[in-house]
Amino acid sequence: MATDVERWKDEIYGNEIREHLFRFAEEGWDAIPEDEHDEWFERFKWWGLYHQRKGQESYFMLRIGTPNGVLEPGQLRTVAEVADEYARGPVDNPEFGAAYCDWTTRQSIQLHWIKLEDVPDIFEKLEADGLSAQQACGDSWRNIVGCPVAGKDTHEHLDAWPVAEELHETFKGSDDHSNLPRKWKVSVTGCDQGCGQGDINDLAFEPARKDGELGFNVRIGGGLARKEPRFARDVDIWVPEERVVDIADAATRLFHDHGDRDNRFNARIKFLVDEWGAEKVRRVLDEEYADWDLETAGEDLREQYTYNAGGDEHGDHVGVHEQPDGNYYVGLNVLVGRQGVDDVFELADLADEYGSGEVRLTQRQNVIVTDVPEDDLDDFLAEDLLEHYSPDPHPFMRGSIACTGTEFCSLSIVETKNRQVRYARWLKEHVDVPDGVTDFHIHLSGCTASCAQPQIADVSLRGMKTRKDGEPVEALDVGLGGGLGEHPQFADWVELRVAADEVPGYIQNLLAAFEAERDGGETFREFVARHDEDALGDLADPAETDYEDPYMHNTKLTWYPYADEDDLDASPAPTDGDGNTISADD
């Protein structure tokens, strides 16, 4: 029997949702029948809108897709203007203020506190500048990810940006691919770093050589969510650039027809590949979906992959790097991917002043300013903004990633963004970085949905709850040794339900053990790999320190983790289009 979501999608889905969304925006929040909230909120995702958590009724998160992380000249300023005008809520975040932009692990943009009534004006402003929230969420093609400096990097075998752009133009808004069993995440990588992270995507195109021609090998069925991580499987297919759209179409139609629509937990294509095996996936593609003879895989270039491999890597693109044309791109570290709106405006100004105006987003939640002439480089690097968003950050700052957390997300179990900021600052002040370590990745995800990609970090943190001194507190599972690169591996979960205020002490003890017991110059990932699970569990213990965690006792009992009031009844939501509380009598 089809799920409720499938039934709702059969009634209304895809592009047609827009007219209903605009109707509700005109009539106001109360126009959505209360008994139809779930179905409309599910449909709204197709246009990039997620309803926020309990206590924040009538407010939405808006996700804006930026294919391959590319923001063309002027678009960053447009995003900042939308955030400044429409993404201010009833309370400020104590770390980031009233309005801010979140750069995501899928090279997208998220804004919060969006009111339904403002959506038509927001869409008009975004679309006038070539931006869109279409299919940023929902059971469809999501934002296409890849090397954020495609076409501007000396480390690439081929420029994958035109390929990503063609995929985006072909499948975004396509009625034939608008209703899939679940989300469909696609990666295109043309470089030797592997920074497209194809291993954790549903469909991945990775550089390969066949009979002297560069093209792409195809992998299918990767993903991290719900404690069921999978690396994408090699399906023994190579395609030239001109066939990428064709094989993407074939793979998407296969998923449309054979993905599980009866059980949303099993609806991702990774489970279909589990069931069928890579050989059957290839055979069905060849016999039923491709109208040409599929070629076998070419010479794999993955042996050069260094992205998130545990060593001194180039692949996160932070720092100053020369482009093939002699200009430079500068990657700036944005701690946990959140940037206050005033800083976003200033970044847009600097991109215009020193570069071409183009800005790119990375899967590490960072930003890149491209096309800076060598003669202007020193002046750019001396700008005050770069003191806060450094191209040469401390390893604990450089490697900190966090998802949205309980601030807005109904799935999250713990607070994330502000906590990871506090973790990074405390570690920087109190913990010595082992010799030779320039990259150390700590990813904090608020739940098992894995939006912060914790399974591929040096230290993986996943939201849980526990009791401490008889009181419920926020806690984290701790994993070690994940990463991608030539030989990807998922983290081993070695500590469960560690109270949130004891995690920094655990990391401090862990790194002390690493420094004392490492074999020569081995990386942290290599160090973890040579220990079995029991030995990893014995490496370090959680510990209380002078680190203080103001959020750990919240345990999702408030309408907003940073509000003074400590109960859901204090929420001003739901509100009308002007942000005024809608009374019960209304």
Side-chain angles (χ1 to χ4, degrees):
M1 182 178 296
T3 63
D4 285 344
V5 173
E6 286 300 318
R7 180 169 51 80
W8 299 334
K9 292 194 300 178
D10 283 344
E11 294 170 1
I12 299 169
Y13 207 59
N15 288 305
E16 62 181 327
I17 297 168
R18 184 180 176 112
E19 63 180 281
H20 297 276
L21 177 59
F22 278 30
R23 172 173 58 86
F24 288 131
E26 182 179 358
E27 297 175 3
W29 164 259
D30 278 350
I32 307 174
E34 189 170 351
D35 62 350
E36 296 179 11
H37 277 186
D38 288 347
E39 59 194 87
W40 285 111
F41 296 162
E42 186 64 37
R43 292 174 180 135
F44 289 172
K45 292 177 184 177
W46 203 89
W47 279 99
L49 290 162
Y50 269 91
H51 188 238
Q52 292 181 181
R53 56 166 283 190
K54 187 176 182 181
Q56 299 171 10
E57 289 80 10
S58 76
Y59 289 105
F60 291 82
M61 177 271 282
L62 174 67
R63 183 179 296 154
I64 304 165
T66 53
N68 212 77
V70 176
L71 282 162
E72 297 174 352
Q75 289 183 335
L76 182 65
R77 176 168 299 280
T78 296
V79 170
E81 290 172 352
V82 170
D84 193 33
E85 184 172 358
Y86 298 107
R88 294 178 178 271
V91 291
D92 290 0
N93 180 294
E95 189 67 46
F96 299 100
Y100 37 81
C101 297
D102 284 347
W103 319 126
T104 80
T105 54
R106 289 198 61 79
Q107 297 171 280
S108 295
I109 302 163
Q110 292 183 172
L111 306 179
H112 298 282
W113 298 119
I114 300 297
K115 295 186 289 291
L116 187 64
E117 291 84 352
D118 292 331
V119 167
D121 290 340
I122 293 171
F123 280 13
E124 181 179 7
K125 188 172 183 64
L126 291 174
E127 291 165 2
D129 202 13
L131 293 162
S132 177
Q134 185 183 52
Q135 291 177 235
C137 318
D139 294 346
S140 61
W141 273 69
R142 297 292 187 89
N143 192 53
I144 296 165
V145 299
C147 174
V149 288
K152 299 180 184 291
D153 194 18
T154 59
H155 296 81
E156 59 188 11
H157 300 285
L158 71 170
D159 179 4
W161 167 234
V163 177
E165 191 173 29
E166 185 180 11
L167 288 169
H168 174 80
E169 292 174 353
T170 301
F171 295 103
K172 283 291 181 175
S174 166
D175 289 335
D176 292 337
H177 301 87
S178 65
N179 183 358
L180 301 176
R182 282 294 302 278
K183 65 186 76 171
W184 184 247
K185 296 182 175 181
V186 179
S187 165
V188 184
T189 304
C191 70
D192 61 13
Q193 306 291 306
C195 49
Q197 299 195 149
D199 281 305
I200 57 172
N201 279 267
D202 297 295
L203 175 64
F205 296 97
E206 299 184 319
R209 186 179 289 106
K210 178 90 170 182
D211 299 328
E213 181 181 0
L214 281 168
F216 299 92
N217 281 348
V218 179
R219 291 176 179 258
I220 296 178
L224 297 178
R226 311 240 180 241
K227 296 186 180 181
E228 292 278 359
R230 299 286 191 282
F231 290 122
R233 270 61 63 93
D234 183 356
V235 291
D236 192 27
I237 295 172
W238 177 88
V239 291
E241 290 185 55
E242 61 269 19
R243 281 290 190 186
V244 169
V245 166
D246 295 330
I247 194 65
D249 172 77
T252 310
R253 286 187 289 115
L254 181 148
F255 178 49
H256 177 280
D257 295 346
H258 296 283
D260 191 341
R261 293 183 184 265
D262 298 329
N263 182 342
R264 286 186 66 78
F265 182 86
N266 292 326
R268 296 294 296 275
I269 198 170
K270 63 185 177 182
F271 296 114
L272 183 63
V273 181
D274 286 351
E275 179 184 349
W276 282 11
E279 185 176 343
K280 180 177 178 180
V281 171
R282 188 194 196 284
R283 176 171 53 81
V284 174
L285 278 171
D286 193 24
E287 295 176 356
E288 300 181 24
Y289 292 93
D291 58 5
W292 76 101
D293 293 332
L294 296 181
E295 297 191 52
T296 57
E299 176 195 353
D300 201 333
L301 300 175
R302 288 171 57 92
E303 72 275 2
Q304 299 178 51
Y305 278 11
T306 60
Y307 187 82
N308 206 357
D312 184 8
E313 62 181 64
H314 156 81
D316 71 355
H317 306 292
V318 170
V320 179
H321 305 279
E322 188 172 5
Q323 298 175 183
D325 62 3
N327 291 325
Y328 287 79
Y329 70 82
V330 182
L332 306 180
N333 177 236
V334 181
L335 185 59
V336 303
R338 178 168 286 179
Q339 198 162 16
V341 71
D342 290 342
D343 290 344
V344 179
F345 276 118
E346 186 173 351
L347 179 63
D349 289 342
L350 295 180
D352 286 337
E353 181 179 354
Y354 291 101
S356 63
E358 179 188 77
V359 173
R360 299 194 178 191
L361 310 177
T362 83
Q363 294 194 69
R364 291 277 180 76
Q365 301 181 325
N366 295 320
V367 297
I368 299 169
V369 175
T370 64
D371 307 316
V372 180
E374 185 174 10
D375 290 345
D376 296 331
L377 194 56
D378 288 343
D379 289 342
F380 176 56
L381 295 174
E383 288 285 347
D384 291 343
L385 187 71
L386 273 65
E387 294 182 11
H388 303 285
Y389 305 100
S390 174
D392 185 25
H394 189 282
F396 292 135
M397 300 291 181
R398 182 174 188 164
S400 286
I401 287 179
C403 71
T404 299
T406 53
E407 184 176 10
F408 301 112
C409 180
S410 61
L411 297 177
S412 185
I413 301 172
V414 301
E415 197 280 336
T416 55
K417 291 282 189 186
N418 285 14
R419 174 171 287 134
Q420 185 59 35
V421 167
R422 296 174 70 89
Y423 280 176
R425 290 173 178 165
W426 188 91
L427 291 168
K428 178 182 177 182
E429 183 177 349
H430 293 88
V431 179
D432 293 331
V433 178
D435 289 342
V437 174
T438 58
D439 295 281
F440 192 78
H441 309 138
I442 303 173
H443 294 196
L444 171 54
S445 205
C447 71
T448 60
S450 300
C451 295
Q453 302 173 347
Q455 295 96 326
I456 57 169
D458 294 306
V459 174
S460 310
L461 303 175
R462 182 173 64 196
M464 289 291 162
K465 294 181 182 178
T466 192
R467 299 188 75 85
K468 182 173 181 176
D469 301 327
E471 298 293 328
V473 296
E474 295 188 354
L476 299 166
D477 289 344
V478 181
L480 301 177
L484 298 179
E486 180 186 358
H487 302 294
Q489 62 190 45
F490 294 129
D492 289 319
W493 296 98
V494 299
E495 292 281 348
L496 302 181
R497 300 182 185 276
V498 178
D501 65 339
E502 298 178 18
V503 170
Y506 171 83
I507 296 174
Q508 182 179 43
N509 293 338
L510 174 69
L511 288 176
F514 169 53
E515 181 72 20
E517 300 178 24
R518 70 192 297 194
D519 185 3
E522 70 181 343
T523 67
F524 181 78
R525 182 172 165 189
E526 291 168 342
F527 172 76
V528 171
R530 69 176 173 85
H531 289 76
D532 62 26
E533 190 171 342
D534 290 339
L536 290 176
D538 293 336
L539 280 176
D541 292 320
E544 291 186 344
T545 62
D546 64 355
Y547 169 83
E548 296 181 359
D549 196 308
Y551 313 114
M552 64 182 293
H553 292 281
N554 182 57
T555 60
K556 214 172 181 179
L557 297 177
T558 61
W559 71 276
Y560 188 63
Y562 318 123
D564 293 333
E565 299 86 354
D566 61 356
D567 62 82
L568 284 168
D569 293 336
S571 170
T575 65
D576 63 15
D578 296 320
N580 301 312
T581 300
I582 299 173
S583 71
D585 294 338
D586 292 341

